[in-house]
Amino acid sequence: MRKSIGVAAIILTVAALAGCSSKNSESDSIMDFYAETEWKAPDPVVGKKPRILFVGNSHTFYNDLTGTFAKIAYAFGHKSDVYELSKGYYTLKRYANPEDELGALFDEAMVGGKWDFVILQENSSLAFSPDADEEMFPYARTLDEKVKAAGGQTAFLMTWAPKEGLKDGFKKTSREELQSRMAENYMTISKELDDLLIPAGISFMRCADQYPEIELWDTDGSHPSEVGSYLAACTAYAVVFQQSPENCTYTGNLDKEEAMKLQKIAAELVLN
């Protein structure tokens, strides 16, 4: 069941139916994507029927990542109300602005109802920017304050770097370098605010390393393929519910064996 609220950008999906500073040097170091990391768990733990709002842009609405997350949760017996507020190219700065169309909708959502979790996804180019402390962090703080005032827990959805990295003139920044920078920025702000972090971008790096034959990116090399969105949804499920997505019966249009590989990657990253 899908209903529009306010504008088409906000979608309701009911699960019952379905180590550097942010200022980087010219040569970025590449993080160890297999390093053991203790990811913050929800506190309090997720309730029986949580209300969850995803806030982001096309990286969130491609292939219905939000609906996929809800269907994975439902397959494990979790009835949850999952909503989405998203629009192409949007940034946390715009959502933090009450004079912006979707910024106003965000404020209405925070005032209009209690949220258990609000999942924030930044524009990727800002998330891996060397100036994230100026372009991303202030607005993350503003939105986090609003989420907590509404009684919710904030989670940041770390997205993935472009498949082929970025080329600026003669300088090429690799996918791994960009993902390392993005991870550092997300980890910095989530730690500062004591918030949850969904490391979907790291899931992508691990999957690309272990199973290079699995195509995680859309043909544009930036947005996720249906497989990539499923991996991100599995990672989000593991963080929010603190349960492994392994052996989930919902696999969408994916091959069962392929889906099992993605489920295991998300589980090992978040829970081990």
Side-chain angles (χ1 to χ4, degrees):
M1 178 178 180
R2 303 179 69 79
K3 296 181 180 178
S4 297
I5 301 177
V7 297
I10 185 164
I11 302 172
L12 167 63
T13 303
V14 184
L17 298 178
C20 301
S21 69
S22 60
K23 295 287 187 181
N24 294 277
S25 63
E26 270 189 37
S27 178
D28 289 298
S29 60
I30 297 176
M31 72 178 292
D32 177 4
F33 297 117
Y34 290 91
E36 289 189 15
T37 304
E38 186 174 345
W39 307 103
K40 177 180 170 62
D43 182 18
V45 297
V46 65
K48 289 185 177 180
K49 191 177 182 181
R51 296 185 76 239
I52 303 169
L53 175 64
F54 282 74
V55 178
N57 54 39
S58 54
H59 279 59
T60 290
F61 69 64
Y62 251 59
N63 310 308
D64 193 17
L65 188 158
T66 301
T68 302
F69 167 85
K71 290 170 184 174
I72 291 172
Y74 184 63
F76 283 111
H78 301 292
K79 296 181 179 180
S80 51
D81 289 340
V82 184
Y83 298 75
E84 177 184 317
L85 180 60
S86 64
K87 193 172 183 178
Y89 301 104
Y90 255 61
T91 64
L92 297 187
K93 179 178 181 179
R94 295 189 69 174
Y95 282 114
N97 179 7
E99 296 184 1
D100 182 275
E101 178 187 20
L102 266 64
L105 282 175
F106 179 88
D107 284 358
E108 289 177 17
M110 292 304 100
V111 173
K114 184 182 183 305
W115 297 98
D116 294 287
F117 299 93
V118 177
I119 299 173
L120 304 176
Q121 177 246 311
E122 177 62 289
N123 182 291
S124 293
S125 62
L126 297 182
F128 59 61
S129 168
D131 298 312
D133 56 346
E134 299 172 1
E135 298 178 351
M136 172 184 173
F137 293 0
Y139 312 107
R141 295 181 186 111
T142 298
L143 294 170
D144 175 71
E145 183 177 356
K146 293 179 179 181
V147 171
K148 289 174 178 171
Q153 297 184 59
T154 303
F156 289 100
L157 173 58
M158 179 203 301
T159 53
W160 37 91
K163 180 179 179 180
E164 303 300 332
L166 286 179
K167 187 174 183 180
D168 183 10
F170 292 103
K171 184 179 186 297
K172 172 73 180 291
T173 306
S174 71
R175 174 176 73 200
E176 291 78 13
E177 289 174 309
L178 291 174
Q179 191 66 58
S180 297
R181 192 189 300 171
M182 186 188 295
E184 289 163 3
N185 288 335
Y186 269 112
M187 292 168 78
T188 295
I189 191 62
S190 61
K191 182 177 181 180
E192 175 195 319
L193 299 173
D194 194 27
D195 287 336
L196 303 171
L197 178 58
I198 299 167
I202 296 178
S203 289
F204 267 56
M205 296 303 105
R206 289 193 178 189
C207 185
D209 175 57
Q210 296 176 36
Y211 305 107
E213 73 279 6
I214 295 180
E215 184 52 75
L216 299 171
W217 286 266
D218 185 66
T219 53
D220 64 13
S222 177
H223 291 97
S225 66
E226 188 172 2
V227 176
S229 294
Y230 186 84
L231 176 58
C234 284
T235 308
Y237 174 82
V239 172
V240 172
F241 288 94
Q242 289 294 290
Q243 293 179 355
S244 172
E246 292 175 286
N247 301 313
C248 180
T249 57
Y250 177 75
T251 58
N253 296 320
L254 277 63
D255 173 80
K256 183 177 180 181
E257 183 178 347
E258 186 176 55
M260 290 177 65
K261 292 176 180 177
L262 304 177
Q263 295 165 6
K264 184 176 181 181
I265 288 171
E268 290 182 344
L269 171 59
V270 175
L271 302 173
N272 289 354

